[in-house]
Amino acid sequence: MNRLACLVLIIGTALPAVAQDARKSGFDFMGPDTQAMQKDDLANPGMLSVLEGEALWKANAGTSQKSCASCHGDAAQSMKGVAARYPAFDETTQAPLDLAGRILQCRTERQAAPAPQREGRELLALTSYVAHQSRDLPIAPPKDARLTAARAQGAALYSTRMGQLNFSCAQCHDDNAGGHLGAAPIPQSHPTGYPLYRLEWQALGSLQRRFRNCLSGMRAEPIAAGSQDAIALELFLMDRAAGMRLETPAVRP
Amino acid sequence: MWRAVGFIAVLVSAQAQAQALVPYRIENGAIAQSLTGVKGDTAKGRAIVVERQKGLCLLCHSGPFPEERFQGDLAPSLVGTGSRLSEGEIRLRMVDSTKVNEKTIMPPYYKTEGLERVAANYKGKTLLSAQEIEDVIAFLVTLKDDTQK
Amino acid sequence: MARALINVPQKSKRGEIIEIKTLMSHPMETGFRPGMDGQLIPRDIIEKFVCTYNGEVVFSAQLHPAITANPFISFTTIATDSGTLVFSWTDNKGETQVQTASIQVE
């Protein structure tokens, strides 16, 4: 071995080992074409919902005739970082609440508008617009002791075997991430881009809709949208993904 | 090695959905006796294995099925199953693989009790019927290692 | 019908080949899918897409039920003069939606 190679070897071993984050977003499991679709804001179909959300943000709603902007002003300022720290503990209901639930609450309580449907177009558009304001920010679950019980509930749900097929989330997404269920690569299930445009749905959808897909695949009873179980599981997943970048609106196969 | 005695799930007439399970006996890591007493049909068994919505097998397993694309890679290949495992050992794994490996991801094909949150239209029903399991077993025992290529 | 995202290059040189991208918000319901009630959801698709450049048709397409929801269409054309691009989408009920974009050519 020549002297230069020896030198490189010595320097290489002297450097401290840098811990690699083993966590990967679902983005990394996609093919290059789908990744390109997500990265181009003019090709990303999720951006259509974000645009719709922007229009809704500025429009007067309900008998209050107030818009979101009436109270919150420019979303790019007021909503920055919000999606990154949801689910959060809600003072009004004294319970954990997800972002969509919070928007729903604003609609009914503060704008006196009819309750938008969970997984309906209006709520998805508003949620995607608000969450989009946190794009590229790290997921930062709130350090709130009142969420402890929900965190434990979420962790328990994640590792409980369910359904006729008797699977737990952990068995696929912790133990077998990177493997293939038939043709489908199994990602690590980090909620880095919700609400997101799923090519399979040909529409934008929420994390809780994604839960339904998995659970029905396992032949298990779906978790009701907006239920405490759903919020607890979402909170657990956000904890697990703490520090990872938000990509909303993501594109997924 | 643990020993368990099978049970009879009594069909209560009010519960039209629940099906009665055939009793079986686990001994020495196998269920030696056929669930139905009727010999399994090899061709039907192969058809169940490759039909992803039915047997679900190829979602996790790969095997000697050149016409099937995108076979899963989460579980051992089915090639040589008949050489590695006895008929009884295969039967146990199909009926309830958690009796072999508590942490398995293989679904229990002949179990209706002790499952959480089963969807309403699957409650009380086994993944495959007893005869379908016998068909699959009859097929899997034919998968011998071919060492003389 | 809802809106479309249109991307036209901000500035282009005369004679240059430019790419125009459009992303249309539309369910593209095939008419073959049953809904939750078991009845077929009626067909609702874009059938024709036309782009004119200062009044001249530079691109047109016929779309069929196989096209996915929210169709993304991109095409190239030669930058001739500054002016207006008019995009129109016509659905199977005969309704047309129009959106315009201006183009600057040096």
Side-chain angles (χ1 to χ4, degrees):
Chain A
M1 222 195 280
N2 64 34
R3 281 168 67 195
L4 182 60
C6 283
L7 196 62
V8 168
L9 197 65
I10 290 163
I11 292 170
T13 50
L15 285 169
V18 177
Q20 290 274 39
D21 191 353
R23 297 177 307 174
K24 287 192 173 129
S25 163
F27 180 86
D28 297 320
F29 290 85
M30 302 198 304
D33 290 332
T34 325
Q35 290 182 338
M37 197 189 296
Q38 178 177 315
K39 285 194 277 199
D40 182 357
D41 276 357
L42 288 147
N44 181 337
M47 289 304 291
L48 291 169
S49 289
V50 169
L51 280 181
E52 247 185 83
E54 186 179 8
L56 287 168
W57 178 269
K58 295 176 187 159
N60 289 341
T63 54
S64 70
Q65 281 304 290
K66 280 188 184 166
S67 67
C68 314
S70 308
C71 291
H72 295 288
D74 177 17
Q77 303 301 317
S78 60
M79 293 294 115
K80 190 170 178 179
V82 170
R85 57 174 177 78
Y86 261 81
F89 194 84
D90 179 52
E91 302 294 341
T92 313
T93 54
Q94 285 294 300
L97 194 59
D98 58 336
L99 182 60
R102 188 72 176 79
I103 295 171
L104 211 159
Q105 198 191 79
C106 266
R107 269 304 208 228
T108 55
E109 307 297 310
R110 284 164 270 268
Q111 287 176 296
Q117 273 192 326
R118 283 260 180 188
E119 224 58 43
R121 200 173 167 136
E122 180 191 325
L123 190 54
L124 281 171
L126 279 168
T127 313
S128 66
Y129 179 62
V130 171
H132 180 61
Q133 309 310 318
S134 294
R135 186 164 69 171
D136 292 329
L137 295 179
I139 290 174
K143 294 185 191 353
D144 189 332
R146 296 170 297 178
L147 292 172
T148 307
R151 294 190 141 105
Q153 195 182 351
L157 280 166
Y158 188 77
S159 38
T160 304
R161 284 183 183 267
M162 290 187 219
Q164 192 196 47
L165 302 194
N166 209 29
F167 293 147
S168 74
C169 316
Q171 285 183 298
C172 278
H173 293 292
D174 285 350
D175 303 341
N176 284 286
H180 295 79
L181 187 72
I186 298 177
Q188 297 176 355
S189 80
H190 297 295
T192 45
Y194 279 93
L196 52 76
Y197 191 89
R198 221 186 152 78
L199 298 179
E200 178 191 301
W201 296 333
Q202 287 195 70
L204 189 100
S206 68
L207 175 60
Q208 297 183 18
R209 175 176 181 177
R210 187 66 185 85
F211 291 164
R212 264 213 305 288
N213 288 174
C214 272
L215 288 164
S216 67
M218 285 153 51
R219 304 188 182 178
E221 272 302 313
I223 296 174
S227 65
Q228 281 303 302
D229 271 354
I231 295 169
L233 190 52
E234 192 171 326
L235 179 59
F236 170 77
L237 289 175
M238 289 295 265
D239 277 351
R240 191 167 157 269
M244 294 176 77
R245 229 175 34 89
L246 264 177
E247 299 162 25
T248 309
V251 175
R252 295 286 185 265
Chain B
M1 300 299 157
W2 64 283
R3 178 180 228 181
V5 180
F7 64 95
I8 300 171
V10 178
L11 183 70
V12 178
S13 56
Q15 287 190 329
Q17 292 284 62
Q19 85 190 66
L21 293 190
V22 160
Y24 57 84
R25 186 194 200 89
I26 303 173
E27 215 169 323
N28 298 327
I31 300 173
Q33 192 153 36
S34 159
L35 295 174
T36 60
V38 176
K39 191 164 184 356
D41 181 321
T42 313
K44 279 188 188 161
R46 189 187 190 281
I48 291 167
V49 169
V50 302
E51 196 184 333
R52 282 157 214 251
Q53 306 278 40
K54 180 104 182 126
L56 314 174
C57 316
L58 297 186
L59 294 177
C60 296
H61 290 282
S62 57
F65 312 106
E67 81 281 11
E68 291 293 323
R69 297 189 307 165
F70 303 129
Q71 300 174 27
D73 58 14
L74 307 177
S77 168
L78 296 175
V79 169
T81 305
S83 300
R84 280 196 306 278
L85 300 171
S86 71
E87 184 193 302
E89 286 171 330
I90 296 173
R91 189 173 287 107
L92 174 59
R93 279 154 179 76
M94 288 225 54
V95 164
D96 187 355
S97 231
T98 60
K99 301 287 196 283
V100 177
N101 171 13
E102 199 190 36
K103 296 201 167 115
T104 189
I105 57 169
M106 172 128 168
Y109 282 82
Y110 202 64
K111 183 171 170 151
T112 53
E113 308 282 310
L115 298 171
E116 291 272 327
R117 287 190 192 234
V118 177
N121 48 332
Y122 292 105
K123 248 195 203 129
K125 293 183 189 156
T126 57
L127 237 166
L128 289 176
S129 71
Q131 193 55 47
E132 285 167 338
I133 292 173
E134 290 303 321
D135 290 339
V136 171
I137 295 167
F139 167 65
L140 291 175
V141 294
T142 67
L143 299 180
K144 302 286 189 195
D145 278 325
D146 187 0
T147 52
Q148 290 165 329
K149 289 248 158 87
Chain C
M1 277 192 247
R3 9 182 343 176
L5 276 172
I6 296 172
N7 184 22
V8 174
Q10 287 202 315
K11 281 199 178 73
S12 29
K13 291 204 180 67
R14 198 169 303 268
E16 188 186 349
I17 296 172
I18 55 172
E19 187 185 8
I20 294 168
K21 300 191 241 192
T22 68
L23 177 60
M24 179 67 189
S25 171
H26 199 279
M28 294 299 284
E29 190 60 68
T30 61
F32 299 124
R33 287 199 313 152
M36 293 303 285
D37 59 355
Q39 301 303 308
L40 287 179
I41 303 170
R43 176 169 295 181
D44 179 13
I45 61 167
I46 296 168
E47 283 189 336
K48 198 161 164 135
F49 168 72
V50 178
C51 174
T52 64
Y53 182 176
N54 286 340
E56 189 190 347
V57 174
V58 290
F59 182 83
S60 77
Q62 281 183 320
L63 286 82
H64 299 272
I67 303 284
T68 190
N70 306 313
F72 174 78
I73 299 175
S74 85
F75 57 94
T76 53
T77 190
I78 296 177
T80 51
D81 292 297
S82 299
T84 311
L85 292 156
V86 180
F87 304 86
S88 64
W89 297 265
T90 307
D91 68 16
N92 59 307
K93 295 181 222 66
E95 284 172 32
T96 303
Q97 178 177 320
V98 171
Q99 221 165 297
T100 61
S102 57
I103 181 164
Q104 279 201 303
V105 180
E106 273 134 32

